[in-house]
Amino acid sequence: MTIKDCKIIELKKVLDPRGNLSVIEEIADIPFKIMRSYWIYDVPGGECRGGHAYKENQEFVVALSGSFDVVVDDGQQKKTFSLNRSYYGLYIPQGMWREMNNFSTNSVALILSSTKYDEADYIRDYDKFLAKQW
Ligand code: TYD
């Protein structure tokens, strides 16, 4: 996997004067089955989340509210994706180092994952990530 496999996916948007609606279906909209969902919120100004890679887990990240940046790194190249709409998200395949920063006040990040939580799937040492020692 390389940085080129990270991609912004635009989701269905049902515009409605009563309020808009967007939807994510596993396999149809994102390329994996959803095993887990979690969200990050109440992030204090200037804080940074992430700072690791996964051996197997794939993720899809949506800014449900507000905005933030996701910096992905395949060990050769880094790319920053700015998420600021609730009708698109970023697909991150396994094996990518990622950091999330620049959170706006009251932002909410929804993350859909292809695996259950497993600390053994994390690569938290950047040198080991670069050396592909996992
Ligand atoms: P972590 O994935 O390191 O957070 P970040 O979003 O900054 O990458 O998770 C922080 C802590 O939260 C971790 O030590 C354990 C807990 N956690 C769970 O219990 N279940 C989960 O699904 C996740 C993502 C984290």
Side-chain angles (χ1 to χ4, degrees), residues 36-40 48-54 57 59 98-100 103 111 113 115-119 122 124:
R36 177 167 52 116
S37 310
Y38 63 96
W39 45 100
I40 294 171
C48 180
R49 300 288 315 214
H52 54 73
Y54 298 110
N57 188 35
E59 292 195 324
R98 94 281 312 283
E99 269 170 30
M100 297 165 71
F103 287 88
I111 297 118
S113 297
T115 65
K116 290 188 175 177
Y117 173 72
D118 177 8
E119 187 57 38
Y122 281 74
R124 293 194 184 271

mmCIF file of all heavy atoms in Angstrom, residues 36-40 48-54 57 59 98-100 103 111 113 115-119 122 124, ligand 1:
data_model
loop_
_atom_site.group_PDB
_atom_site.id
_atom_site.type_symbol
_atom_site.label_atom_id
_atom_site.label_comp_id
_atom_site.label_asym_id
_atom_site.label_seq_id
_atom_site.Cartn_x
_atom_site.Cartn_y
_atom_site.Cartn_z
ATOM 1 N N ARG A 36 -16.274 -1.923 13.409
ATOM 2 C CA ARG A 36 -16.198 -1.052 14.586
ATOM 3 C C ARG A 36 -16.384 0.392 14.146
ATOM 4 O O ARG A 36 -15.971 0.774 13.047
ATOM 5 C CB ARG A 36 -14.809 -1.234 15.205
ATOM 6 C CG ARG A 36 -14.484 -0.385 16.387
ATOM 7 C CD ARG A 36 -13.221 -0.927 17.044
ATOM 8 N NE ARG A 36 -12.143 -1.078 16.106
ATOM 9 C CZ ARG A 36 -10.993 -0.411 16.145
ATOM 10 N NH1 ARG A 36 -10.754 0.440 17.128
ATOM 11 N NH2 ARG A 36 -10.060 -0.611 15.243
ATOM 12 N N SER A 37 -17.021 1.191 15.005
ATOM 13 C CA SER A 37 -17.137 2.629 14.774
ATOM 14 C C SER A 37 -16.727 3.330 16.059
ATOM 15 O O SER A 37 -17.096 2.888 17.146
ATOM 16 C CB SER A 37 -18.586 3.040 14.500
ATOM 17 O OG SER A 37 -19.158 2.232 13.515
ATOM 18 N N TYR A 38 -15.973 4.374 15.940
ATOM 19 C CA TYR A 38 -15.683 5.202 17.126
ATOM 20 C C TYR A 38 -15.593 6.649 16.672
ATOM 21 O O TYR A 38 -15.556 6.933 15.475
ATOM 22 C CB TYR A 38 -14.422 4.729 17.855
ATOM 23 C CG TYR A 38 -13.125 4.794 17.095
ATOM 24 C CD1 TYR A 38 -12.264 5.888 17.227
ATOM 25 C CD2 TYR A 38 -12.732 3.752 16.264
ATOM 26 C CE1 TYR A 38 -11.056 5.937 16.556
ATOM 27 C CE2 TYR A 38 -11.526 3.801 15.581
ATOM 28 C CZ TYR A 38 -10.689 4.897 15.731
ATOM 29 O OH TYR A 38 -9.498 4.945 15.050
ATOM 30 N N TRP A 39 -15.627 7.544 17.637
ATOM 31 C CA TRP A 39 -15.577 8.949 17.272
ATOM 32 C C TRP A 39 -14.709 9.702 18.250
ATOM 33 O O TRP A 39 -14.539 9.304 19.405
ATOM 34 C CB TRP A 39 -16.975 9.561 17.137
ATOM 35 C CG TRP A 39 -17.956 9.234 18.216
ATOM 36 C CD1 TRP A 39 -18.298 10.022 19.271
ATOM 37 C CD2 TRP A 39 -18.742 8.036 18.346
ATOM 38 N NE1 TRP A 39 -19.249 9.392 20.041
ATOM 39 C CE2 TRP A 39 -19.530 8.182 19.492
ATOM 40 C CE3 TRP A 39 -18.844 6.854 17.594
ATOM 41 C CZ2 TRP A 39 -20.415 7.182 19.912
ATOM 42 C CZ3 TRP A 39 -19.727 5.863 18.015
ATOM 43 C CH2 TRP A 39 -20.500 6.045 19.155
ATOM 44 N N ILE A 40 -14.131 10.775 17.755
ATOM 45 C CA ILE A 40 -13.211 11.612 18.540
ATOM 46 C C ILE A 40 -13.848 12.996 18.639
ATOM 47 O O ILE A 40 -14.275 13.563 17.620
ATOM 48 C CB ILE A 40 -11.830 11.668 17.868
ATOM 49 C CG1 ILE A 40 -11.196 10.275 17.903
ATOM 50 C CG2 ILE A 40 -10.930 12.692 18.553
ATOM 51 C CD1 ILE A 40 -9.929 10.158 17.095
ATOM 52 N N CYS A 48 -3.277 16.803 19.037
ATOM 53 C CA CYS A 48 -3.020 15.939 17.893
ATOM 54 C C CYS A 48 -3.419 14.517 18.284
ATOM 55 O O CYS A 48 -3.116 14.079 19.390
ATOM 56 C CB CYS A 48 -1.520 16.027 17.612
ATOM 57 S SG CYS A 48 -0.949 15.075 16.261
ATOM 58 N N ARG A 49 -4.130 13.804 17.414
ATOM 59 C CA ARG A 49 -4.497 12.403 17.675
ATOM 60 C C ARG A 49 -3.766 11.507 16.684
ATOM 61 O O ARG A 49 -3.198 11.973 15.714
ATOM 62 C CB ARG A 49 -6.020 12.194 17.527
ATOM 63 C CG ARG A 49 -6.890 13.008 18.435
ATOM 64 C CD ARG A 49 -6.844 12.557 19.857
ATOM 65 N NE ARG A 49 -6.925 11.126 20.046
ATOM 66 C CZ ARG A 49 -7.524 10.542 21.079
ATOM 67 N NH1 ARG A 49 -8.140 11.275 21.981
ATOM 68 N NH2 ARG A 49 -7.509 9.228 21.225
ATOM 69 N N GLY A 50 -3.882 10.209 16.916
ATOM 70 C CA GLY A 50 -3.219 9.278 16.005
ATOM 71 C C GLY A 50 -1.754 9.159 16.379
ATOM 72 O O GLY A 50 -1.426 9.006 17.552
ATOM 73 N N GLY A 51 -0.888 9.210 15.374
ATOM 74 C CA GLY A 51 0.533 9.007 15.646
ATOM 75 C C GLY A 51 0.847 7.523 15.723
ATOM 76 O O GLY A 51 1.510 7.055 16.655
ATOM 77 N N HIS A 52 0.343 6.778 14.743
ATOM 78 C CA HIS A 52 0.597 5.331 14.675
ATOM 79 C C HIS A 52 0.124 4.813 13.320
ATOM 80 O O HIS A 52 -0.503 5.541 12.548
ATOM 81 C CB HIS A 52 -0.153 4.594 15.801
ATOM 82 C CG HIS A 52 -1.620 4.887 15.849
ATOM 83 N ND1 HIS A 52 -2.504 4.383 14.916
ATOM 84 C CD2 HIS A 52 -2.360 5.656 16.675
ATOM 85 C CE1 HIS A 52 -3.716 4.836 15.197
ATOM 86 N NE2 HIS A 52 -3.667 5.624 16.256
ATOM 87 N N ALA A 53 0.427 3.536 13.079
ATOM 88 C CA ALA A 53 -0.103 2.848 11.888
ATOM 89 C C ALA A 53 -0.758 1.553 12.373
ATOM 90 O O ALA A 53 -0.605 1.181 13.545
ATOM 91 C CB ALA A 53 1.034 2.538 10.919
ATOM 92 N N TYR A 54 -1.492 0.912 11.486
ATOM 93 C CA TYR A 54 -2.062 -0.407 11.797
ATOM 94 C C TYR A 54 -1.492 -1.430 10.824
ATOM 95 O O TYR A 54 -1.295 -1.123 9.640
ATOM 96 C CB TYR A 54 -3.581 -0.405 11.619
ATOM 97 C CG TYR A 54 -4.349 0.536 12.512
ATOM 98 C CD1 TYR A 54 -4.959 1.659 11.983
ATOM 99 C CD2 TYR A 54 -4.481 0.280 13.871
ATOM 100 C CE1 TYR A 54 -5.691 2.522 12.782
ATOM 101 C CE2 TYR A 54 -5.208 1.150 14.680
ATOM 102 C CZ TYR A 54 -5.805 2.256 14.132
ATOM 103 O OH TYR A 54 -6.521 3.106 14.928
ATOM 104 N N ASN A 57 -5.673 -3.124 10.104
ATOM 105 C CA ASN A 57 -6.907 -2.335 10.141
ATOM 106 C C ASN A 57 -6.957 -1.271 9.039
ATOM 107 O O ASN A 57 -6.005 -0.539 8.820
ATOM 108 C CB ASN A 57 -7.018 -1.668 11.516
ATOM 109 C CG ASN A 57 -8.343 -0.985 11.734
ATOM 110 O OD1 ASN A 57 -9.374 -1.453 11.272
ATOM 111 N ND2 ASN A 57 -8.328 0.131 12.429
ATOM 112 N N GLU A 59 -9.332 2.057 7.647
ATOM 113 C CA GLU A 59 -10.266 2.994 8.253
ATOM 114 C C GLU A 59 -10.862 3.957 7.232
ATOM 115 O O GLU A 59 -10.290 4.207 6.175
ATOM 116 C CB GLU A 59 -9.584 3.784 9.371
ATOM 117 C CG GLU A 59 -9.235 2.888 10.548
ATOM 118 C CD GLU A 59 -8.888 3.626 11.820
ATOM 119 O OE1 GLU A 59 -8.267 4.694 11.765
ATOM 120 O OE2 GLU A 59 -9.244 3.112 12.880
ATOM 121 N N ARG A 98 -0.493 7.635 10.424
ATOM 122 C CA ARG A 98 -1.435 8.761 10.335
ATOM 123 C C ARG A 98 -1.416 9.612 11.594
ATOM 124 O O ARG A 98 -1.183 9.116 12.705
ATOM 125 C CB ARG A 98 -2.854 8.281 10.032
ATOM 126 C CG ARG A 98 -3.803 8.031 11.204
ATOM 127 C CD ARG A 98 -3.594 6.744 11.919
ATOM 128 N NE ARG A 98 -3.494 5.607 11.030
ATOM 129 C CZ ARG A 98 -4.536 5.035 10.441
ATOM 130 N NH1 ARG A 98 -5.747 5.460 10.719
ATOM 131 N NH2 ARG A 98 -4.373 4.002 9.667
ATOM 132 N N GLU A 99 -1.669 10.892 11.365
ATOM 133 C CA GLU A 99 -1.841 11.841 12.465
ATOM 134 C C GLU A 99 -3.031 12.716 12.135
ATOM 135 O O GLU A 99 -3.271 13.025 10.967
ATOM 136 C CB GLU A 99 -0.596 12.727 12.604
ATOM 137 C CG GLU A 99 0.421 12.128 13.559
ATOM 138 C CD GLU A 99 1.751 12.854 13.542
ATOM 139 O OE1 GLU A 99 1.747 14.074 13.276
ATOM 140 O OE2 GLU A 99 2.757 12.183 13.764
ATOM 141 N N MET A 100 -3.772 13.103 13.156
ATOM 142 C CA MET A 100 -4.910 14.002 12.963
ATOM 143 C C MET A 100 -4.638 15.250 13.781
ATOM 144 O O MET A 100 -4.333 15.151 14.973
ATOM 145 C CB MET A 100 -6.203 13.334 13.425
ATOM 146 C CG MET A 100 -6.551 12.088 12.602
ATOM 147 S SD MET A 100 -7.801 11.072 13.374
ATOM 148 C CE MET A 100 -9.233 12.092 13.162
ATOM 149 N N PHE A 103 -7.723 20.432 14.648
ATOM 150 C CA PHE A 103 -9.155 20.262 14.924
ATOM 151 C C PHE A 103 -9.809 21.615 15.211
ATOM 152 O O PHE A 103 -9.298 22.392 16.024
ATOM 153 C CB PHE A 103 -9.358 19.376 16.158
ATOM 154 C CG PHE A 103 -9.074 17.924 15.932
ATOM 155 C CD1 PHE A 103 -7.799 17.407 16.103
ATOM 156 C CD2 PHE A 103 -10.094 17.055 15.547
ATOM 157 C CE1 PHE A 103 -7.529 16.062 15.904
ATOM 158 C CE2 PHE A 103 -9.843 15.699 15.346
ATOM 159 C CZ PHE A 103 -8.557 15.204 15.517
ATOM 160 N N ILE A 111 -14.902 7.521 12.854
ATOM 161 C CA ILE A 111 -13.968 6.587 12.215
ATOM 162 C C ILE A 111 -14.610 5.207 12.143
ATOM 163 O O ILE A 111 -15.063 4.670 13.153
ATOM 164 C CB ILE A 111 -12.629 6.515 12.987
ATOM 165 C CG1 ILE A 111 -11.944 7.895 12.941
ATOM 166 C CG2 ILE A 111 -11.693 5.498 12.340
ATOM 167 C CD1 ILE A 111 -11.753 8.527 14.244
ATOM 168 N N SER A 113 -13.972 1.270 11.118
ATOM 169 C CA SER A 113 -12.785 0.401 11.069
ATOM 170 C C SER A 113 -13.136 -0.983 10.555
ATOM 171 O O SER A 113 -14.242 -1.485 10.802
ATOM 172 C CB SER A 113 -12.204 0.241 12.473
ATOM 173 O OG SER A 113 -11.762 1.482 12.963
ATOM 174 N N THR A 115 -11.524 -3.725 11.500
ATOM 175 C CA THR A 115 -11.244 -4.770 12.506
ATOM 176 C C THR A 115 -11.714 -4.296 13.881
ATOM 177 O O THR A 115 -11.907 -3.098 14.102
ATOM 178 C CB THR A 115 -9.725 -5.070 12.628
ATOM 179 O OG1 THR A 115 -9.059 -3.903 13.128
ATOM 180 C CG2 THR A 115 -9.118 -5.469 11.291
ATOM 181 N N LYS A 116 -11.834 -5.245 14.796
ATOM 182 C CA LYS A 116 -12.111 -4.893 16.187
ATOM 183 C C LYS A 116 -10.850 -4.287 16.793
ATOM 184 O O LYS A 116 -9.748 -4.485 16.274
ATOM 185 C CB LYS A 116 -12.518 -6.137 16.967
ATOM 186 C CG LYS A 116 -13.881 -6.639 16.557
ATOM 187 C CD LYS A 116 -14.345 -7.747 17.474
ATOM 188 C CE LYS A 116 -15.754 -8.144 17.101
ATOM 189 N NZ LYS A 116 -16.229 -9.260 17.919
ATOM 190 N N TYR A 117 -11.023 -3.579 17.899
ATOM 191 C CA TYR A 117 -9.863 -2.965 18.558
ATOM 192 C C TYR A 117 -8.895 -4.055 19.006
ATOM 193 O O TYR A 117 -9.286 -5.013 19.665
ATOM 194 C CB TYR A 117 -10.321 -2.126 19.759
ATOM 195 C CG TYR A 117 -9.151 -1.624 20.558
ATOM 196 C CD1 TYR A 117 -8.341 -0.622 20.046
ATOM 197 C CD2 TYR A 117 -8.840 -2.178 21.790
ATOM 198 C CE1 TYR A 117 -7.239 -0.169 20.760
ATOM 199 C CE2 TYR A 117 -7.744 -1.728 22.508
ATOM 200 C CZ TYR A 117 -6.949 -0.724 21.980
ATOM 201 O OH TYR A 117 -5.862 -0.286 22.686
ATOM 202 N N ASP A 118 -7.629 -3.887 18.650
ATOM 203 C CA ASP A 118 -6.599 -4.843 19.040
ATOM 204 C C ASP A 118 -5.273 -4.093 19.130
ATOM 205 O O ASP A 118 -4.707 -3.710 18.097
ATOM 206 C CB ASP A 118 -6.520 -5.962 17.989
ATOM 207 C CG ASP A 118 -5.404 -6.957 18.287
ATOM 208 O OD1 ASP A 118 -4.794 -6.878 19.376
ATOM 209 O OD2 ASP A 118 -5.137 -7.809 17.419
ATOM 210 N N GLU A 119 -4.799 -3.901 20.341
ATOM 211 C CA GLU A 119 -3.561 -3.127 20.530
ATOM 212 C C GLU A 119 -2.392 -3.777 19.774
ATOM 213 O O GLU A 119 -1.480 -3.075 19.321
ATOM 214 C CB GLU A 119 -3.256 -2.999 22.035
ATOM 215 C CG GLU A 119 -2.091 -2.084 22.393
ATOM 216 C CD GLU A 119 -2.205 -0.634 21.886
ATOM 217 O OE1 GLU A 119 -3.315 -0.072 21.894
ATOM 218 O OE2 GLU A 119 -1.160 -0.067 21.482
ATOM 219 N N TYR A 122 -1.409 -2.340 16.390
ATOM 220 C CA TYR A 122 -0.829 -0.997 16.285
ATOM 221 C C TYR A 122 0.684 -1.044 16.052
ATOM 222 O O TYR A 122 1.376 -1.870 16.640
ATOM 223 C CB TYR A 122 -1.053 -0.207 17.580
ATOM 224 C CG TYR A 122 -2.433 0.388 17.761
ATOM 225 C CD1 TYR A 122 -3.521 -0.395 18.090
ATOM 226 C CD2 TYR A 122 -2.631 1.765 17.645
ATOM 227 C CE1 TYR A 122 -4.785 0.163 18.281
ATOM 228 C CE2 TYR A 122 -3.882 2.322 17.840
ATOM 229 C CZ TYR A 122 -4.956 1.516 18.150
ATOM 230 O OH TYR A 122 -6.194 2.077 18.348
ATOM 231 N N ARG A 124 3.324 1.677 16.908
ATOM 232 C CA ARG A 124 3.395 2.990 17.562
ATOM 233 C C ARG A 124 4.805 3.580 17.531
ATOM 234 O O ARG A 124 5.010 4.704 17.945
ATOM 235 C CB ARG A 124 2.901 2.899 19.008
ATOM 236 C CG ARG A 124 1.398 2.579 19.114
ATOM 237 C CD ARG A 124 0.902 2.828 20.513
ATOM 238 N NE ARG A 124 -0.499 2.461 20.700
ATOM 239 C CZ ARG A 124 -1.523 3.269 20.486
ATOM 240 N NH1 ARG A 124 -1.317 4.495 20.043
ATOM 241 N NH2 ARG A 124 -2.765 2.859 20.702
HETATM 242 P P1 TYD B 1 -5.760 5.412 19.918
HETATM 243 O O1 TYD B 1 -6.208 4.547 18.776
HETATM 244 O O2 TYD B 1 -4.301 5.422 20.254
HETATM 245 O O3 TYD B 1 -6.228 6.924 19.662
HETATM 246 P P2 TYD B 1 -6.016 7.862 18.402
HETATM 247 O O4 TYD B 1 -7.360 8.164 17.924
HETATM 248 O O5 TYD B 1 -5.330 9.089 18.930
HETATM 249 O O6 TYD B 1 -5.209 7.134 17.402
HETATM 250 O O7 TYD B 1 -6.622 5.016 21.183
HETATM 251 C C1 TYD B 1 -6.502 5.699 22.404
HETATM 252 C C2 TYD B 1 -6.961 4.758 23.498
HETATM 253 O O8 TYD B 1 -8.356 4.508 23.358
HETATM 254 C C3 TYD B 1 -6.275 3.411 23.446
HETATM 255 O O9 TYD B 1 -5.245 3.335 24.395
HETATM 256 C C4 TYD B 1 -7.358 2.423 23.787
HETATM 257 C C5 TYD B 1 -8.641 3.128 23.561
HETATM 258 N N1 TYD B 1 -9.412 2.590 22.422
HETATM 259 C C6 TYD B 1 -10.315 1.573 22.633
HETATM 260 O O10 TYD B 1 -10.488 1.064 23.752
HETATM 261 N N2 TYD B 1 -11.046 1.089 21.578
HETATM 262 C C7 TYD B 1 -10.908 1.595 20.335
HETATM 263 O O11 TYD B 1 -11.598 1.135 19.376
HETATM 264 C C8 TYD B 1 -9.969 2.650 20.113
HETATM 265 C C9 TYD B 1 -9.769 3.246 18.754
HETATM 266 C C10 TYD B 1 -9.235 3.116 21.174
#
